[in-house]
Amino acid sequence: QVQLAESGGGLVQPGGSLRLACAASGTRIQINFVNWYRQPPGQQRSLVASITSSGITNYTDTVKGRFTISRDHSKNVVYLQMNSLKPEDTAVYYCNAEIVVIPFRPRDYWGQGTQVTVSS
């Protein structure tokens, strides 16, 4: 049984920082790419950042220079460091990953989401 769990959300003032974590649990797993999505209130979910198994990263324009995605292969954890946060970053943040449970085919998994609120 593979599970993804996000943590690290909360309330922060504009200009502040948060670090989200996405932890994958399960045996005999191999994590391919990992994405962070966010869904503001009343809006659609959109891609924020992604990282491949080899460490290649990509960001949506609105977070470039402020957010950093990274991964710890030994712990099966992917982080999203968010700096200089703005009210428009307020959203539920979701982790999404393609995971292989050896010896089966890759599957897509989602976490339950973590709320980030940027407000004074």
Side-chain angles (χ1 to χ4, degrees):
Q1 184 82 6
V2 175
Q3 289 188 327
L4 282 181
E6 302 98 335
S7 61
L11 173 64
V12 64
Q13 293 186 343
S17 298
L18 282 175
R19 189 177 78 158
L20 306 183
C22 171
S25 61
T27 57
R28 300 169 61 82
I29 65 172
Q30 174 183 299
I31 302 172
N32 292 340
F33 60 82
V34 178
N35 303 310
W36 280 100
Y37 284 81
R38 65 184 179 188
Q39 186 168 17
Q43 299 184 37
Q44 290 187 333
R45 194 174 300 186
S46 63
L47 182 63
V48 175
S50 60
I51 187 166
T52 68
S53 57
S54 59
I56 297 172
T57 60
N58 198 20
Y59 301 91
T60 190
D61 286 345
T62 55
V63 307
K64 283 181 181 176
R66 300 189 298 123
F67 290 12
T68 302
I69 188 170
S70 62
R71 62 191 296 170
D72 184 333
H73 286 276
S74 66
K75 298 179 180 179
N76 285 334
V77 178
V78 170
Y79 301 99
L80 186 66
Q81 178 67 44
M82 305 186 295
N83 298 328
S84 302
L85 282 161
K86 305 175 182 180
E88 50 264 43
D89 295 317
T90 295
V92 178
Y93 283 72
Y94 296 91
C95 177
N96 161 249
E98 182 184 87
I99 297 175
V100 176
V101 180
I102 300 169
F104 303 104
R105 294 185 177 186
R107 279 188 55 191
D108 210 41
Y109 292 87
W110 287 86
Q112 81 287 350
T114 185
Q115 176 70 47
V116 171
T117 303
V118 185
S119 175
S120 55

